[in-house]
Amino acid sequence: MENAGRRDITSQAEETSAVELSHNLTTVTTEIKTYQSIGGQAIFEIGRRLKWVKENDLAHGEFMNWYEELNMNKNFVSKAIKIASNIDESNFPTSGNLGVEVLYEIATMPPEERDMPQHLDSGEVKKPDEMTVRELRETKRKLAAAYAENMANQTLLTQADKKAQKLQDQVTKLQRDPEIKQVEVEPADYQDTKADLKAANEKIADLQKLVDDAIDDHNQRLAYELELEKAKADQEEIKADLSDLEVKRQNMLKQNAQIREVQKMVKSINELLDNFAMLRNRLDTTMLPDESSLVQGLTEMADKLIENGQVLHDDLAHPYHV
């Protein structure tokens, strides 16, 4: 029963679409309110009348205020006008049973795809008027991608055609041109240039020889400088050795002088000891008075001889260097 009512409404809408619209705003307003009460099947007719009022300025510059008084917002009005502009009701009779969002998505599809079965990601095959809003948007994305790919392929094909045509033109031109023979021609200044080149090469060879000689001379000079540095180093080393030898010689001279001086002293002491021995043999100590200065002097002399003799004996037994 309900479907029959919808078919009656759709039939009525189709008949009305053939009727010329009124220029009387009150009449158009009444018609829109009537279609609003019918429901989604009348969206096409509402959009058609909205477009009519806007294009003919029946609201006298108050188009927005007028449709807002009909409880319509800008989004709905824009979509309804798009639906009425893009969908041909006579070729799309089932659109009367669809909602505004579905009709808008169909209206913004390429015209040739609006009644064509489409393959969905779910594997189903549906016509646009059988799809949900999500399925329609999915289909439109696929169509847009396919269109972009097709345009890219068309561009590549066009470029390839242009290149092929260019090559064909070149081949045609070569076929028309007479045969070109390659002839070697010697420039007028070739021999002079050849002679100049030879002279330049000889000059380069001479310069290279000078460079080589300079390098050899530099190497020889460097070797000489190295030998000179080595000789200087050897000379410094010899000087150091001579200095050490001179120190040793001076030490030996000093030592010899000390030895000679000691020898003289030893000789003097030996002579003194010989005299002391003669004195001791001749001296009769019993004849000396006790506590006399002579006894005291002889005693001190004997003590010194004993003390110094013992020290000298120890030094000779255990020598050390000062």
Side-chain angles (χ1 to χ4, degrees):
M1 185 68 177
E2 183 180 355
N3 291 335
R6 289 184 178 177
R7 284 195 295 271
D8 292 340
I9 293 170
T10 303
S11 300
Q12 183 181 358
E14 291 174 355
E15 292 173 359
T16 306
S17 64
V19 178
E20 187 174 349
L21 300 179
S22 174
H23 285 270
N24 186 287
L25 182 60
T26 303
T27 301
V28 175
T29 302
T30 302
E31 290 174 346
I32 288 176
K33 288 182 177 181
T34 301
Y35 284 114
Q36 281 181 318
S37 64
I38 294 173
Q41 292 81 3
I43 293 171
F44 176 83
E45 290 298 335
I46 293 174
R48 182 166 172 260
R49 281 160 176 75
L50 288 168
K51 180 181 177 185
W52 174 261
V53 171
K54 183 177 182 181
E55 290 177 349
N56 292 278
D57 194 22
L58 299 184
H60 306 293
E62 298 293 330
F63 180 67
M64 180 181 293
N65 292 332
W66 171 70
Y67 69 66
E68 286 180 349
E69 290 177 358
L70 297 174
N71 295 322
M72 296 181 186
N73 57 42
K74 184 177 180 180
N75 181 54
F76 173 82
V77 171
S78 176
K79 289 182 177 180
I81 292 175
K82 177 69 73 173
I83 291 167
S85 300
N86 290 5
I87 296 180
D88 186 354
E89 185 74 8
S90 62
N91 295 331
F92 208 156
T94 58
S95 62
N97 298 321
L98 304 176
V100 63
E101 295 297 333
V102 171
L103 286 173
Y104 176 76
E105 295 297 335
I106 294 174
T108 52
M109 289 178 66
E112 66 275 10
E113 300 291 343
R114 291 173 188 164
D115 195 34
M116 297 295 294
Q118 305 290 338
H119 291 270
L120 304 177
D121 289 343
S122 62
E124 297 179 275
V125 178
K126 292 182 180 181
K127 285 187 175 183
D129 62 343
E130 298 172 339
M131 298 181 189
T132 63
V133 174
R134 184 183 61 80
E135 291 171 338
L136 282 166
R137 290 174 180 171
E138 171 193 319
T139 300
K140 286 169 66 177
R141 282 195 296 270
K142 287 184 178 180
L143 292 173
Y147 176 78
E149 183 178 0
N150 182 58
M151 291 300 296
N153 291 335
Q154 288 292 334
T155 301
L156 293 175
L157 184 60
T158 301
Q159 292 175 351
D161 289 342
K162 289 181 179 179
K163 289 182 180 179
Q165 185 61 45
K166 185 177 180 180
L167 291 174
Q168 183 61 42
D169 293 342
Q170 292 176 352
V171 170
T172 303
K173 182 179 179 181
L174 290 174
Q175 289 175 346
R176 288 199 306 265
D177 291 342
E179 183 179 358
I180 300 174
K181 294 183 179 180
Q182 185 175 359
V183 179
E184 293 185 2
V185 179
E186 183 179 290
D189 59 347
Y190 174 74
Q191 293 299 330
D192 292 339
T193 303
K194 186 176 180 181
D196 292 341
L197 181 61
K198 181 180 179 182
N201 288 332
E202 291 175 352
K203 184 68 174 177
I204 291 172
D206 293 339
L207 291 174
Q208 184 62 47
K209 186 175 184 305
L210 290 175
V211 171
D212 293 339
D213 292 343
I215 292 174
D216 291 340
D217 182 66
H218 174 74
N219 291 335
Q220 291 177 2
R221 186 181 298 276
L222 182 61
Y224 171 76
E225 290 177 354
L226 291 174
E227 289 293 334
L228 183 61
E229 290 294 329
K230 185 176 183 302
K232 288 181 178 179
D234 293 342
Q235 185 179 13
E236 293 297 327
E237 186 176 353
I238 291 172
K239 285 182 179 180
D241 292 342
L242 289 175
S243 178
D244 292 341
L245 290 174
E246 178 62 22
V247 171
K248 291 179 180 180
R249 188 180 72 83
Q250 291 296 332
N251 290 335
M252 290 180 66
L253 290 174
K254 186 183 295 185
Q255 185 178 10
N256 290 335
Q258 290 177 351
I259 290 173
R260 286 194 297 271
E261 184 178 357
V262 170
Q263 286 176 343
K264 289 180 181 180
M265 293 177 66
V266 168
K267 182 178 179 182
S268 298
I269 291 172
N270 284 331
E271 290 176 353
L272 181 61
L273 289 174
D274 289 340
N275 292 329
F276 178 76
M278 291 175 60
L279 174 63
R280 185 177 59 81
N281 291 328
R282 292 178 182 180
L283 180 64
D284 184 2
T285 56
T286 59
M287 299 296 295
L288 296 176
D290 295 335
E291 303 297 331
S292 65
S293 58
L294 179 59
V295 172
Q296 185 177 357
L298 289 172
T299 302
E300 290 177 358
M301 182 180 66
D303 291 338
K304 288 180 180 180
L305 287 174
I306 293 171
E307 180 182 357
N308 287 294
Q310 185 62 44
V311 171
L312 178 60
H313 184 274
D314 292 339
D315 289 343
L316 293 174
H318 305 285
Y320 65 94
H321 299 283
V322 179

